[in-house]
Amino acid sequence: MSETSNKTVKGDETPETAKADKAEAAKATTTVAPADDPTAAPVTVVDPRLLVREEGFKGYLTEFKRRIKGGELGSLPVVIGLIIIWTIFQLKNSLFLSADNLSNISYFLSATGMLAIGLVFVLLLGEIDLSVGSVSGLASTVFAVFVVNHGMNQWLALILTIITGVGIGALHGWFFARIGVPAFVVTLAGFLGWNGLMLWLLGSSGTINIPSDSGPVQLLGQSSFFMDQAIVGAYLLAGLGVVLSALGQFNEQRRRRAAGVPFRPTSEILIRVGLLAIASFAAAAVLNNASGVSNALVIFLASLVIVDFVLRRTTYGRKVFAVGGGIEAARRAGISVPMVRITVFAISGGFAAIGGMFFAGQTASATLNAGGGNTLMLAIAAAVIGGTSLFGGRGNVWSALLGMLVIQSIQTGLDLLNMNTSIQYMITGGVLLGAVVIDSVSRKSQKAAGRG
């Protein structure tokens, strides 16, 4: 028996000694060699929460510098870009940051944002879904045919419409996962085929008008607001968001403390919750100065919260990230890669169908233009601009919100300045290219720092 074992058996290790050993173990850092180059110099990995706890504000600053140097930029580029965009347009037109204009931005970003949520799942696998625009247009058409042409109950029609979108996505995923057809080809075929089916269902008129008092359409219309424009509605939502955030962070702190691993200090949680409260109630005050919070925005934000929970807190979400990070490693870990692929495309199709209903709510009709034009490109751009990597394995659903804020701000700002649509396309394309360049550079930086 070793000397260490003898000390333990004989009781020579006092409580004070044990406590000191645990403290030293907590302070220890992990030294690893970069996976792609075993001969390279080892890299020291420090738990950021431990660093913050030990050094206070200096720890935050050190950790921030480490993350920037290592290419872990997170949402920083898009937040800075959004501030620059808003500043420029406000200087050009003082109406840009008015309550009414910001209310319009928050309403119109929700439809394409729904498509972007589904695309985040696909992008996390390192794949692409080119069919979401056509599926959204087909969904609005299917709903209109059920309700107008066949007199079906509106809510039943809505459920069947969403199921249709999920089924279409699952079909794409099946061809990709089971047959081996590249996702690009499968969804490109879907882009053409489902668009053709939509045109056939619309017939020669090319439009089916949906009654404006139809339940789902009325719910998602531009004149429909949470709690019927009551001022308390916006503040209630802001307060609910702050409370849920605080409960979630304190619950995580409790679990990590119980597990004996580093956790966020209470002071940091309070600062985070305080900043969220300021932003949330400020947004609520601005929207109340207009007409209130639209139902479309409420549903969009609720979808973000739910999907964020699924991706970050469930086994399924971890499987999605695992498959996106490395297919072979995920397979060796016992993950059913075909199942994950099929369900991810099904989710993308489902959100495309929901987005189609948002478009129907905006126009109270199903038209040839539904889901067409640059809808697909904007949805993909929103997810990528917001921070989801095109290379898979990295991103979150909040990128759909951040990306759509950027895109919708550009569109609305250029409309206020009476700029041509061609200018909108060029600027949006430039922003998308910049986002991909930042993503590529940050990945190289992470590999250089041993985190790739």
Side-chain angles (χ1 to χ4, degrees):
M1 185 178 292
S2 66
E3 181 180 352
T4 303
S5 299
N6 283 328
K7 289 177 65 177
T8 303
V9 172
K10 294 177 182 179
D12 293 338
E13 186 178 34
T14 64
E16 290 75 12
T17 304
K19 187 179 296 184
D21 290 342
K22 289 183 179 179
E24 289 300 319
K27 292 181 180 179
T29 57
T30 302
T31 303
V32 297
D36 55 348
D37 187 6
T39 63
V43 178
T44 300
V45 181
V46 182
D47 190 295
R49 280 164 293 214
L50 179 60
L51 186 64
V52 170
R53 275 167 40 191
E54 289 185 343
E55 302 184 14
F57 178 76
K58 182 182 177 182
Y60 282 99
L61 185 60
T62 303
E63 172 62 10
F64 177 76
K65 292 179 180 178
R66 183 196 65 79
R67 291 173 65 89
I68 296 298
K69 185 177 180 180
E72 301 177 51
L73 303 178
S75 301
L76 182 62
V78 68
V79 171
I80 294 175
L82 189 60
I83 293 174
I84 293 173
I85 291 169
W86 283 12
T87 301
I88 292 175
F89 282 128
Q90 179 63 18
L91 292 176
K92 293 290 185 180
N93 191 317
S94 59
L95 294 177
F96 180 79
L97 292 180
S98 65
D100 288 335
N101 191 58
L102 292 177
S103 178
N104 287 334
I105 291 175
S106 69
Y107 173 74
F108 286 106
L109 65 79
S110 58
T112 308
M114 279 294 185
L115 274 64
I117 291 178
L119 281 169
V120 167
F121 279 84
V122 178
L123 292 175
L124 286 175
L125 296 186
E127 303 296 339
I128 194 67
D129 187 351
L130 300 178
S131 69
V132 292
S134 295
V135 174
S136 69
L138 176 62
S140 63
T141 302
V142 168
F143 177 81
V145 169
F146 282 154
V147 173
V148 177
N149 295 359
H150 298 286
M152 184 180 292
N153 177 272
Q154 302 154 357
W155 297 105
L156 175 59
L158 174 64
I159 294 173
L160 293 178
T161 297
I162 296 175
I163 291 176
T164 299
V166 172
I168 289 174
L171 180 63
H172 294 161
W174 183 81
F175 275 106
F176 169 53
R178 295 296 186 184
I179 306 300
V181 183
F184 179 90
V185 176
V186 172
T187 57
L188 178 59
F191 168 79
L192 298 172
W194 305 124
N195 188 61
L197 179 58
M198 178 190 72
L199 298 178
W200 180 73
L201 290 175
L202 287 174
S204 58
S205 64
T207 302
I208 299 178
N209 293 319
I210 305 173
S212 57
D213 60 349
S214 175
V217 171
Q218 185 179 29
L219 177 69
L220 299 171
Q222 191 172 3
S223 59
S224 299
F225 299 92
F226 183 68
M227 296 185 68
D228 296 327
Q229 305 185 36
I231 293 179
V232 69
Y235 293 120
L236 179 63
L237 288 173
L240 180 62
V242 171
V243 170
L244 290 177
S245 175
L247 291 176
Q249 293 187 64
F250 279 116
N251 182 56
E252 181 182 10
Q253 181 196 59
R254 178 188 59 79
R255 290 190 299 105
R256 295 185 68 86
R257 179 186 282 132
V261 296
F263 53 87
R264 282 199 179 99
T266 301
S267 58
E268 180 185 348
I269 295 177
L270 293 177
I271 291 175
R272 286 170 170 263
V273 173
L275 292 175
L276 176 62
I278 293 173
S280 300
F281 283 97
V286 170
L287 293 177
N288 276 336
N289 286 333
S291 301
V293 183
S294 65
N295 289 329
L297 179 61
V298 173
I299 296 173
F300 176 52
L301 293 177
S303 300
L304 287 173
V305 172
I306 294 171
V307 173
D308 179 65
F309 177 83
V310 170
L311 277 178
R312 295 196 303 114
R313 302 295 183 184
T314 66
T315 302
Y316 175 76
R318 287 189 286 272
K319 289 180 179 179
V320 172
F321 279 102
V323 173
I327 295 175
E328 186 58 32
R331 186 177 288 113
R332 290 177 181 272
I335 297 175
S336 174
V337 175
M339 183 277 294
V340 172
R341 285 174 163 175
I342 292 173
T343 54
V344 159
F345 277 91
I347 291 171
S348 179
F351 274 102
I354 296 173
M357 291 306 305
F358 276 60
F359 285 121
Q362 292 177 3
T363 61
S365 64
T367 68
L368 294 172
N369 297 323
N374 60 346
T375 301
L376 168 64
M377 296 298 105
L378 291 181
I380 296 175
V384 175
I385 290 172
T388 298
S389 176
L390 280 170
F391 304 97
R394 188 176 65 188
N396 61 74
V397 294
W398 294 101
S399 62
L401 172 61
L402 292 173
M404 278 310 305
L405 273 174
V406 170
I407 291 175
Q408 195 63 49
S409 295
I410 292 174
Q411 290 185 325
T412 304
L414 293 177
D415 286 340
L416 287 175
L417 299 179
N418 295 318
M419 291 286 187
N420 193 282
T421 304
S422 59
I423 304 296
Q424 296 183 15
Y425 289 171
M426 287 188 284
I427 293 179
T428 304
V431 172
L432 174 60
L433 177 61
V436 177
V437 168
I438 291 174
D439 181 32
S440 300
V441 172
S442 65
R443 285 177 64 86
K444 291 181 179 179
S445 299
Q446 288 184 5
K447 287 183 178 180
R451 295 175 178 272

